[in-house]
Amino acid sequence: MANRKTEVQRRIVSKDGHNNVRIENVEGMVRMYLHDIWTTVVDMKWRYKLTLFASTFVMTWFIFGVIFYFIALGNGDFEAGLNSSHTPCMMNVETLTGAFLYSLESQTTIGYGFRYITEECPLAIFTLVAQLVITGLAEIFVTGAFLAKLARPKKRAETIKFSQLAVICRHQGKLCLMVRVANMRKSPLIQCQLTGKLLHSNVTEEGEKTQVHQSSVNFHMDSSGECPFLILPITFYHVLDEHSPLAGLNAENLHTRAFELLITLNATMESTAATCQSRTSYIPQEILWGYEFKPVLFSTTGGRFVADFKFFDKVQVINNAALLSNNTEKQKLEEGYKNE
């Protein structure tokens, strides 16, 4: 029994929308990541990105400092007993440390002071130009990756709240699975679309068994097919009819079924017109049969509406026992008997 419970609890997507699938034994993964270096850098964690940012500057300073050092060494600037007519490639650069400081100053400023380049070595001039071009491109790349990560709507998606539990009860005469969604910011989200995927094992007609099969689960807001304006907490409904992948679900077999319901909300931010996506998932233990959400929206005496999130995850039992039944055939027979 314990093993079965653990198996049911295994989930592909966590409650906060993170992917729990680990990728292993992929041949050439490093090469693939380097081939798409931009996405790799943008997806980096902040600690790695800060390390990359700092190491980019330090490494370019050091590498070009070493190049300048060898140029000066080849020009004989470090030899003892130089005559007064000898002009070094870089003035006041006598050690590797001095070359490093010259490289740092060349990359970070256009006004030279104690150390500066002379006209004696064309190779040093070419190296200086190459350094400024290469490091300029590297700075653009790293800075762009920083801005791209900051501008990603991932953090905005974290301000979209899903109810911790899903409920099943009757709504407008139909048995529905309900989830509640709310926008935690005052800035509204437009063109919201809530979609669902039922992840479960499946056996095809040919006898092929798939461990994770995806079936579409359609959600709507009441009877409207339009995209809702997410400024208030909204309850989305999925009708459990014969066309639903959850057909046949009832109060008795709910917790014995093995599936995971992945919910995805796609929305557009009104302020930036960027698209954000937020996800969560529900397993059978997080779906309550015969419950409904408590009201979360209240009106005040001043004519304003208040969304009290203390009640956002609160549910209550349906009092009418007839609403808890999902036996469709029985209901049809009862309705036919009443019509007669």
Side-chain angles (χ1 to χ4, degrees):
M1 184 68 180
N3 294 335
R4 184 178 182 180
K5 185 176 181 180
T6 303
E7 183 179 355
V8 174
Q9 290 289 341
R10 186 184 300 120
R11 57 202 317 156
I12 297 176
V13 177
S14 62
K15 292 295 290 183
D16 55 0
H18 288 90
N19 185 6
N20 288 334
V21 179
R22 185 174 62 187
I23 301 176
E24 293 182 349
N25 302 323
V26 179
E27 184 178 356
M29 177 176 284
V30 176
R31 179 168 48 85
M32 289 191 301
Y33 274 66
L34 293 178
H35 182 72
D36 187 13
I37 187 65
W38 173 256
T39 306
T40 302
V41 175
V42 172
D43 289 342
M44 275 184 178
K45 295 182 179 179
W46 278 110
R47 56 180 177 268
Y48 301 131
K49 192 180 293 292
L50 292 173
T51 302
L52 176 65
F53 183 79
S55 61
T56 299
F57 287 98
V58 175
M59 290 301 296
T60 52
W61 295 338
F62 179 75
I63 291 174
F64 281 97
V66 172
I67 295 175
F68 283 123
Y69 177 80
F70 281 107
I71 291 176
L73 186 64
N75 192 49
D77 296 344
F78 303 146
E79 296 180 1
L82 294 176
N83 54 39
S84 58
S85 61
H86 179 78
T87 303
C89 293
M90 283 80 64
M91 296 297 296
N92 301 315
V93 175
E94 300 177 354
T95 60
L96 180 59
T97 303
F100 173 79
L101 294 175
Y102 169 76
S103 174
L104 186 154
E105 186 176 354
S106 299
Q107 189 171 328
T108 57
T109 182
I110 59 174
Y112 288 103
F114 182 69
R115 300 177 181 84
Y116 59 92
I117 196 169
T118 65
E119 301 176 358
E120 181 68 19
C121 300
L123 181 59
I125 298 174
F126 175 80
T127 304
L128 175 62
V129 174
Q131 178 186 11
L132 297 179
V133 172
I134 294 173
T135 56
L137 294 175
E139 291 175 10
I140 292 173
F141 180 85
V142 176
T143 305
F146 259 81
L147 294 177
K149 191 173 183 66
L150 289 172
R152 291 175 71 182
K154 184 177 180 180
K155 294 299 181 182
R156 181 62 177 93
E158 293 179 358
T159 58
I160 299 174
K161 183 177 178 61
F162 293 93
S163 57
Q164 291 294 319
L165 301 172
V167 297
I168 297 178
C169 65
R170 293 202 172 274
H171 176 72
Q172 295 183 351
K174 298 179 181 179
L175 190 66
C176 298
L177 184 147
M178 308 179 189
V179 295
R180 181 180 275 175
V181 185
N183 176 20
M184 305 301 292
R185 285 183 176 270
K186 286 189 175 181
S187 57
L189 294 171
I190 59 178
Q191 297 180 354
C192 300
Q193 292 181 342
L194 190 78
T195 58
K197 289 291 183 181
L198 187 67
L199 310 178
H200 59 100
S201 60
N202 183 54
V203 180
T204 63
E205 296 180 357
E206 295 76 16
E208 180 183 359
K209 184 176 182 180
T210 55
Q211 188 172 359
V212 179
H213 178 75
Q214 299 186 22
S215 302
S216 297
V217 180
N218 299 321
F219 282 87
H220 61 85
M221 184 186 66
D222 292 332
S223 60
S224 174
E226 298 179 357
C227 299
F229 191 58
L230 191 58
I231 193 172
L232 298 171
I234 295 178
T235 301
F236 288 87
Y237 307 89
H238 168 70
V239 180
L240 297 176
D241 54 12
E242 63 274 8
H243 303 291
S244 171
L246 289 170
L249 192 67
N250 54 49
E252 288 74 23
N253 65 11
L254 174 60
H255 291 161
T256 60
R257 295 273 294 267
F259 65 85
E260 180 179 352
L261 180 59
L262 172 61
I263 303 295
T264 303
L265 178 71
N266 295 296
T268 302
M269 293 184 291
E270 187 185 46
S271 56
T272 62
T275 302
C276 65
Q277 184 181 94
S278 183
R279 295 180 297 271
T280 190
S281 70
Y282 299 93
I283 56 178
Q285 287 75 13
E286 296 168 346
I287 301 176
L288 301 180
W289 189 281
Y291 285 76
E292 64 179 357
F293 290 113
K294 287 187 176 181
V296 69
L297 191 63
F298 305 94
S299 59
T300 62
T301 55
R304 301 182 63 182
F305 287 98
V306 175
D308 192 347
F309 281 88
K310 180 177 64 175
F311 300 98
F312 184 80
D313 291 316
K314 301 293 184 181
V315 295
Q316 59 187 7
V317 181
I318 301 295
N319 294 326
N320 192 348
L323 297 179
L324 302 182
S325 174
N326 70 324
N327 194 329
T328 306
E329 296 297 331
K330 180 179 178 182
Q331 291 171 1
K332 289 182 178 179
L333 291 174
E334 291 178 352
E335 291 177 359
Y337 178 76
K338 291 179 181 179
N339 294 332
E340 293 178 358

